[in-house]
């Protein structure tokens, strides 16, 4: 399933100016301008990690420029069920991003953040499912079983 720029923006409540800031700081979001950007579910999850850190810790977006590519590649390389049972360790100093299972030991790092992915995956699922319209919701009359003539 692919998502448009508008869907990605609305998933995180980003204004046009905020979207420009995300695109400038995160190279994987800077899609070809000749056509509308198409983003995968992995792109949404990686953006969700950045958005969570940016809003919760007030960490500036340019701090993610060096780790953006590895973060987006990591999210694209694993299925959501595996990501949901894991956390992402981001080491800003060495520009490393690792997927860490809940039972694994986390390697020490000078400046690192550990983000649990389960709440982000649940939140994205709820947002994405809420945005899918009910195909029968616009029907003027509910479906009925017609009687046959005899």
């Amino acid at each position: 399933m692919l998502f448009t720029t508008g869907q990605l923006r609305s998933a995180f409540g980003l204004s046009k100016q905020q979207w420009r800031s995300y695109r400038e700081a995160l190279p994987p979001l800077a899609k070809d301008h000749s056509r509308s950007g198409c983003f995968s579910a992995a792109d949404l999850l990686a953006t969700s990690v950045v958005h969570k850190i940016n809003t919760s810790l007030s960490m500036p977006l340019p701090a993610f420029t060096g780790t953006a590519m590895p973060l987006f590649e990591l999210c694209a390389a694993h299925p959501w069920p595996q990501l949901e049972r894991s956390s992402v360790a981001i080491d800003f100093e060495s520009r490393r991003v690792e997927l860490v299972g809940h039972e694994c030991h986390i390697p020490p790092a000078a400046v690192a953040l550990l983000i649990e992915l389960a709440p982000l995956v649940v939140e994205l699922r709820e947002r994405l499912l809420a945005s899918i319209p009910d195909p029968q919701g616009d029907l003027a009359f509910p479906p009925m079983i017609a009687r046959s003539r005899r």
Side-chain angles (χ1 to χ4, degrees):
M1 178 178 240
L2 294 177
F3 302 93
T4 65
T5 300
Q7 289 171 316
L8 192 136
R9 279 185 44 218
S10 69
F12 301 109
L14 300 176
S15 68
K16 286 185 179 184
Q17 182 57 42
Q18 289 172 315
W19 171 244
R20 281 187 211 106
S21 298
Y22 272 71
R23 247 190 6 226
E24 289 171 10
L26 306 173
L29 293 181
K31 301 288 184 177
D32 185 11
H33 295 292
S34 65
R35 61 179 175 81
S36 176
C38 292
F39 302 97
S40 68
D43 294 334
L44 260 66
L45 183 58
T47 305
S48 181
V49 170
V50 172
H51 182 71
K52 186 67 166 180
I53 295 169
N54 175 256
T55 57
S56 299
L57 301 177
S58 299
M59 184 175 251
L61 290 171
F64 294 95
T65 302
T67 57
M69 210 53 131
L71 175 62
F72 278 73
E73 289 171 356
L74 179 111
C75 289
H78 300 283
W80 274 40
Q82 181 181 0
L83 292 168
E84 191 173 14
R85 293 186 307 269
S86 305
S87 297
V88 171
I90 303 173
D91 183 348
F92 291 96
E93 187 174 289
S94 66
R95 296 182 173 192
R96 281 190 1 227
V97 177
E98 294 182 35
L99 191 64
V100 180
H102 291 289
E103 68 284 343
C104 295
H105 175 69
I106 302 164
V111 179
L113 288 175
L114 184 65
I115 307 298
E116 186 177 1
L117 294 176
L120 299 177
V121 170
V122 169
E123 187 177 326
L124 280 174
R125 275 192 189 127
E126 288 173 359
R127 284 182 188 166
L128 297 175
L129 291 177
S131 69
I132 298 172
D134 180 13
Q136 297 208 358
D138 294 335
L139 293 177
F141 302 101
M144 298 177 58
I145 298 175
R147 289 188 192 191
S148 63
R149 289 186 183 177
R150 286 190 173 185

